[in-house]
Amino acid sequence: MSETRQQIALVDVNCFYASAERVFDPSLEGKPLVVLSNNDGCAVTRSPEAKALGISTGEPWFKIAPRAKEWGLVARSSNYELYGDISARVMELLGRYSAWLEVYSIDEAFLGIKGSPDQVVGLGRTIKAAVQRNVGVPVCVGIAATKTLAKLANRWAKNNPALGGVCAWESMDPESRELLMARLPVSEVWGVAGRLEKRLNAIGICSILELSRADPVMVRDRFSVVLMRTVLELRGTPCLPLEEERVGWDQLIFSRSFSTPLTSVPEFRQVLSVYAQQASARLARHHLQAKVLTAFAGTSHYNPKDKSFPSACVPLPMPTSDPVLLTRAAHALLPAIQDGVKYARAGIMVTDLRPSRNQQPLEPFTNPHEERGIGPLVEQISRKYGRGTIGLGFAGLRSGLDWSMKRGMRSPRYTTHWDELPVVRAN
Amino acid sequence: MGVIIGPRVIEAGLSLRLVLISPVAVAAGFPSPAQDYFDGRIDLNEHLIKDITSTYIVRVSGDSMEQAGISDGDELIVNRALEPRDGSVVVAVLDGELTVKRLKITAAGVVLQAANPLYPNISIPALADLTIWGVATRCLHHV
């Protein structure tokens, strides 16, 4: 029954942030456009026109800005409200095409589909057209027997205009597939980059084809089980199942760079408190608890003198999503903060996540704050009256959150704020 | 930087929870005769938004659609998934801007009509030359 066996489609939005900006501002169509990271630091998304100008991912805005005018380059600050909504629409729509949907990131999802090579290509085209029509953003679809190959097919769909944005691995002839894999460096494989690439190159594995032909047992012994799975996946043996629901989220990270550097412990106490409470709210929403909290800070990479990258890792007394405990843990970073040093960013990360307990623990292990439901109460109030109306202790609302993000070139939050709706002309 | 939630507020939070729970948990009075009939308030989303993936809300600027009942400052509910037909009020892309007009499809070609004699119609050779952004399904007119 090879005709109808399980296939995996990877659907992802082309230049997601830039495409989302263009939905409501058609004048951006065909123009070079970059979307900047938090705090307008660097270009995180580039439209094809911006790529053609030679702007690379992660290029700092201050380096591009002087030539923007001459290039006709448009820059936008990250508009997370908009991107979040567009993403939710895309995912909702994708869910109508398959009962197996794994939302992999804000702009990509794996779908389990079945059918002959022609049928799956047809479905890919249907999906592509539906997302374009309904939501307004362009997607590419890669279809293959395994996730790793679906990623590869998707990449090929993106780079080969003749395919019209949809590539089914199986419907390519074997020679073209080999040629493609021989031409692509091993770093183009999902999950292979950096150090791993160097180590592979050192033993003569440079192309994807060479990796796919490597002995899986050797790969497992010299590298890892993970990389062995990659080899098998490249050969068409599925090793990474679709995860319909990702219970095992590994970690949540809250990290931002600041509009003006932070230099004092009291400022850090405030920032860390706010992050800890955001982490608490997010954990609670997903019914998760964390076992470990790491807080960190860092100076700017563009400021080579005065380097400081302190961090503190705190095992929590019990798995928790309680804001009081998380805030207290985040403050473990404070002694490591050097007064007067200009810190450009800070963040916290919660790891070793697990589902919230359903049953109450024995009394000595209960957490008085959790019992009183402070986390849910704060969340409830914030939802009703807006973020920033209430915070615990050092989240210090009175002095104002003056370190918060700079988003000077942000487009309106078209779909989430009533007073920022897109305007249609009737004149 | 002060403590925003002190212990007293936490106690208030606790009692608030009790207040919320008690009407359900304690059956101390005559049960409401209406309780079996209540299955949710009217939800405008349900009635006005047929497909949440393709529906956007936009705001009108200008009075060129006045006689179609669409005034300056009104909100339009626009569904991108609908097929534009002759007579549809559409949001079209004109010169890189979103513009609301009535679509007339005739043997001679396509016309974007204003609904106000003060504004000219715009002729388009064929429907294929036109980017229709979406089809307006409702106008939220401010009265």
Side-chain angles (χ1 to χ4, degrees):
Chain A
M1 293 300 284
S2 70
E3 281 297 280
T4 57
R5 80 202 136 94
Q6 177 69 39
Q7 298 268 299
I8 294 174
L10 173 68
V11 182
D12 79 337
V13 182
N14 308 347
C15 312
F16 178 54
Y17 294 177
S19 297
E21 294 288 340
R22 283 174 168 170
V23 173
F24 300 97
D25 190 349
S27 74
L28 296 173
E29 211 60 57
K31 278 193 195 149
L33 169 67
V34 291
V35 176
L36 305 175
S37 62
N38 284 327
N39 200 27
D40 295 346
C42 53
V44 284
T45 305
R46 306 154 300 149
S47 71
E49 299 82 1
K51 286 177 193 168
L53 288 172
I55 296 168
S56 49
T57 273
E59 200 156 328
W61 173 235
F62 72 81
K63 285 192 180 164
I64 315 168
R67 300 184 62 188
K69 204 162 191 174
E70 158 200 344
W71 282 334
L73 176 76
V74 182
R76 291 269 189 269
S77 306
S78 292
N79 184 344
Y80 293 112
E81 291 87 346
L82 175 64
Y83 310 150
D85 179 63
I86 297 283
S87 171
R89 288 168 187 257
V90 172
M91 299 309 168
E92 160 90 23
L93 188 55
L94 293 181
R96 296 178 190 171
Y97 292 93
S98 172
W100 281 358
L101 174 75
E102 179 190 334
V103 176
Y104 184 69
S105 68
I106 190 167
D107 63 345
E108 57 187 326
F110 290 106
L111 277 75
I113 59 175
K114 276 188 175 157
S116 68
D118 283 351
Q119 287 171 326
V120 295
V121 170
L123 182 61
R125 294 200 191 292
T126 305
I127 289 173
K128 180 173 168 55
V131 177
Q132 178 70 58
R133 187 190 61 233
N134 282 32
V135 187
V137 291
V139 297
C140 280
V141 186
I143 303 160
T146 69
K147 281 182 168 178
T148 306
L149 286 175
K151 276 264 188 189
L152 204 54
N154 183 286
R155 200 203 112 97
W156 187 231
K158 275 212 164 60
N159 293 345
N160 187 350
L163 290 171
V166 179
C167 172
W169 193 245
E170 310 274 298
S171 52
M172 286 169 73
D173 61 85
E175 292 83 53
S176 322
R177 288 193 300 221
E178 285 208 349
L179 199 66
L180 178 68
M181 287 168 74
R183 246 178 28 203
L184 289 173
V186 71
S187 57
E188 294 289 339
V189 173
W190 189 33
V192 178
R195 240 167 59 86
L196 189 51
E197 182 192 5
K198 287 204 188 89
R199 285 176 60 202
L200 284 167
N201 290 350
I203 60 162
I205 296 175
C206 298
S207 73
I208 294 183
L209 189 65
E210 283 159 350
L211 180 62
S212 75
R213 286 178 176 169
D215 173 18
V217 177
M218 180 279 289
V219 168
R220 186 197 60 199
D221 292 346
R222 293 185 65 161
F223 295 90
S224 64
V225 176
V226 178
L227 192 62
M228 181 186 78
R229 289 196 193 115
T230 303
V231 172
L232 295 174
E233 285 239 321
L234 284 173
R235 296 177 178 189
T237 308
C239 302
L240 305 167
L242 279 172
E243 299 170 52
E244 291 175 58
E245 206 179 332
R246 270 204 269 178
V247 262
W249 272 22
D250 303 344
Q251 53 181 38
L252 291 177
I253 300 181
F254 295 81
S255 165
R256 297 280 183 275
S257 44
F258 311 120
S259 43
T260 44
L262 250 57
T263 54
S264 74
V265 169
E267 287 174 307
F268 264 99
R269 188 174 286 130
Q270 186 183 17
V271 169
L272 293 169
S273 302
V274 172
Y275 290 167
Q277 286 168 45
Q278 285 176 344
S280 156
R282 182 107 63 98
L283 286 171
R285 212 161 1 180
H286 294 291
H287 308 287
L288 290 170
Q289 293 180 323
K291 195 74 187 21
V292 177
L293 181 145
T294 309
F296 54 91
T299 49
S300 168
H301 290 286
Y302 299 106
N303 170 22
K305 43 177 190 166
D306 244 16
K307 268 190 205 165
S308 175
F309 296 90
S311 77
C313 182
V314 186
L316 296 160
M318 68 202 90
T320 184
S321 62
D322 177 67
V324 177
L325 290 182
L326 293 178
T327 304
R328 200 176 289 155
H331 288 176
L333 181 68
L334 296 175
I337 297 296
Q338 301 172 31
D339 241 345
V341 169
K342 290 183 174 175
Y343 290 97
R345 61 186 302 119
I348 68 159
M349 177 167 75
V350 283
T351 45
D352 201 350
L353 306 188
R354 52 198 66 194
S356 305
R357 292 178 307 254
N358 292 325
Q359 68 221 62
Q360 285 294 312
L362 291 172
E363 204 192 339
F365 301 107
T366 57
N367 169 356
H369 312 297
E370 253 166 34
E371 209 169 272
R372 288 169 175 168
I374 297 172
L377 177 65
V378 169
E379 180 59 14
Q380 212 179 325
I381 293 171
S382 302
R383 207 172 288 163
K384 191 155 180 190
Y385 299 104
R387 299 259 154 234
T389 35
I390 190 167
L392 284 166
F394 299 109
L397 305 153
R398 249 184 289 173
S399 57
L401 307 175
D402 53 1
W403 43 267
S404 60
M405 263 196 288
K406 186 168 82 186
R407 299 200 290 180
M409 292 172 280
R410 201 204 65 214
S411 52
R413 293 165 294 185
Y414 298 110
T415 60
T416 55
H417 285 64
W418 189 249
D419 44 5
E420 298 181 24
L421 292 176
V423 171
V424 297
R425 285 172 53 124
N427 54 23
Chain B
M1 267 165 273
V3 174
I4 304 297
I5 296 191
R8 280 172 43 208
V9 186
I10 293 166
E11 290 309 314
L14 185 63
S15 63
L16 180 67
R17 288 208 303 165
L18 285 175
V19 170
L20 282 171
I21 290 163
S22 60
V24 185
V26 187
F30 185 72
S32 161
Q35 70 181 6
D36 291 339
Y37 295 88
F38 184 75
D39 33 86
R41 294 190 184 88
I42 288 175
D43 179 2
L44 285 179
N45 289 310
E46 190 187 311
H47 296 278
L48 301 184
I49 296 181
K50 291 293 170 229
D51 185 345
I52 56 165
T53 70
S54 61
T55 306
Y56 291 106
I57 302 172
V58 301
R59 184 161 291 129
V60 176
S61 164
D63 57 2
S64 74
M65 295 300 284
E66 194 70 59
Q67 284 163 26
I70 301 170
S71 305
D72 186 42
D74 285 353
E75 289 86 21
L76 294 176
I77 296 175
V78 178
N79 188 342
R80 289 179 51 95
L82 292 181
E83 200 66 46
R85 297 172 196 286
D86 179 46
S88 299
V89 171
V90 297
V91 173
V93 178
L94 285 182
D95 303 324
E97 284 186 293
L98 301 176
T99 306
V100 57
K101 296 275 183 187
R102 192 181 293 284
L103 180 71
K104 293 304 284 183
I105 303 174
T106 67
V110 181
V111 180
L112 290 176
Q113 281 183 338
N116 182 335
L118 296 174
Y119 293 86
N121 294 337
I122 296 166
S123 294
I124 311 277
L127 197 55
D129 299 327
L130 181 65
T131 305
I132 303 272
W133 193 85
V135 175
T137 57
R138 296 272 178 165
C139 173
L140 307 181
H141 179 62
H142 293 235
V143 293

